[in-house]
Amino acid sequence: MSTILALVEHDAGVPRKVSLQVLAAARALADDVHAVAFGPGAADAAAALGAHGATTLHTFDDAAVTSYATGPHAVALAAALDASGAGVLLYPADPFLTDIVARTAVRRGAGVITDAVDLTVADDGLVATKAIFGGDMLSQCRVRDGHQAFVGIKANAFAAADDADGEPAAVSSLAVTLSDEDRRIEILDVVEQESGDRPEMTEASIIAAGGRGLGDAEGFQLIERLADTLGGAVGASRAATDAGWYPHQHQIGQTGKTVAPQLYIGSGISGAIQHRAGMQTSQLIAAINTDPDAPIFSIADFGVVGDLHKVVPALIDEIERRSE
């Protein structure tokens, strides 16, 4: 493939981990990879993005990016597609970016494939593999010839290079004209979510998750200890969040977040299909449950039938002992 454009997220010029994974996916398919980033500090990401394979970074840091939702971003993304000449756009498959990409696709008549976990090139173009039916099946999809392909990449589906050493990307500022239509939705307030020292769940390599089997909200203190011992994030089933035991932003599943960590440890989680839909593509799944017939054991690589209140403390002690 000739040129691929990668839409990246950043925090004050520091690319998020999933954005570097998207660049790795792009580099595996194309000789020329461009990136596009929005907001203040976007140009500061040029060195890191260049090190990971981007030759050109298109930026749009107009104040409208932080003052209005979606509209300005969609216009700027379309401008970046024109400037790069790319026929394929890869982006991190999170809800905010998917909203921007979907609006851009409607304007350009492009095809959108979400939540891809693998990409290959066949004679008839780019083929994306994604999980369907709650993760029970994999499907392969492609966009029909003659249309641009916009493909969302699930976090941790690709590995970013650990020793990236490319030259900084050339920065190109996008010339974008916004209409009143593009400024229809004004952002009135922004509230920063407190996340503590743990990694963001959708980007975490390790997730310790708890469910109804914890018994009460205090049971999550045990899951937090396990997550902190492993340097991971904390997840929860819908039953646990609906009971008010843990915040809803940590819910994993069909109505929560989709995760794909290298290691997922589920404690006291039965593994209903709604929950499995959000974590089934994890690379390694370990489950702890007293019920040997719990559905989660059908997808687990390792399972322990036992009382989590005895198994998890013993697991933490062993991890700490081996870490000394």
Side-chain angles (χ1 to χ4, degrees):
M1 308 191 76
S2 54
T3 302
I4 289 180
L5 178 66
L7 174 57
V8 304
E9 288 185 300
H10 66 93
D11 295 320
V14 179
R16 295 184 62 188
K17 175 184 172 184
V18 66
S19 295
L20 301 181
Q21 294 170 351
V22 169
L23 279 178
R27 284 290 299 163
L29 298 171
D31 297 328
D32 188 23
V33 176
H34 289 214
V36 56
F38 306 133
D44 295 336
L49 296 176
H52 285 264
T55 58
T56 303
L57 171 61
H58 305 276
T59 62
F60 180 59
D61 58 3
D62 190 279
V65 169
T66 53
S67 301
Y68 301 93
T70 310
H73 307 74
V75 175
L77 180 56
L81 285 162
D82 290 337
S84 65
V88 173
L89 168 71
L90 302 185
Y91 66 95
D94 71 26
F96 177 67
L97 294 184
T98 299
D99 188 7
I100 295 170
V101 168
R103 293 171 186 272
T104 308
V106 170
R107 297 183 183 199
R108 302 177 70 91
V112 179
I113 301 172
T114 60
D115 297 328
V117 296
D118 194 19
L119 299 171
T120 56
V121 177
D123 293 340
D124 49 2
L126 181 66
V127 177
T129 300
K130 59 176 291 183
I132 58 174
F133 296 119
D136 284 343
M137 298 179 67
L138 294 177
S139 68
Q140 291 189 318
C141 315
R142 73 174 181 88
V143 175
R144 288 186 300 175
D145 293 342
H147 298 272
Q148 289 181 309
F150 297 173
V151 183
I153 305 296
K154 288 188 70 170
N156 297 318
F158 295 84
D162 293 328
D163 55 349
D165 58 358
E167 295 294 322
V171 178
S172 175
S173 180
L174 294 166
V176 175
T177 301
L178 300 176
S179 66
D180 291 341
E181 183 82 359
D182 301 321
R183 296 187 176 93
R184 283 181 301 173
I185 306 173
E186 185 177 4
I187 298 173
L188 300 179
D189 192 16
V190 176
V191 178
E192 294 283 347
Q193 177 184 322
E194 295 184 8
S195 58
D197 296 330
R198 299 187 186 102
E200 205 284 321
M201 194 167 63
T202 57
E203 294 192 350
S205 299
I206 300 174
I207 294 177
R212 192 192 300 273
L214 291 171
D216 54 31
E218 291 184 359
F220 269 93
Q221 295 177 7
L222 189 59
I223 302 302
E224 290 178 338
R225 279 187 57 205
L226 177 58
D228 291 342
T229 302
L230 293 167
V234 175
S237 68
R238 178 174 176 176
T241 58
D242 282 354
W245 297 352
Y246 218 65
H248 277 285
Q249 61 263 34
H250 292 268
Q251 181 188 329
I252 297 171
Q254 209 160 31
T255 55
K257 292 183 177 178
T258 299
V259 298
Q262 295 175 6
L263 172 61
Y264 167 95
I265 303 175
S267 301
I269 294 177
S270 66
I273 189 171
Q274 292 86 355
H275 184 77
R276 299 203 309 266
M279 46 66 70
Q280 191 155 325
T281 55
S282 301
Q283 295 180 27
L284 191 67
I285 298 173
I288 304 167
N289 203 296
T290 55
D291 181 3
D293 297 321
I296 198 167
F297 286 127
S298 67
I299 60 169
D301 299 283
F302 298 96
V304 178
V305 179
D307 183 351
L308 70 89
H309 294 95
K310 297 178 181 177
V311 175
V312 174
L315 177 60
I316 293 171
D317 289 345
E318 183 63 18
I319 294 170
E320 291 177 340
R321 185 185 70 79
R322 295 191 179 209
S323 299
E324 291 176 354

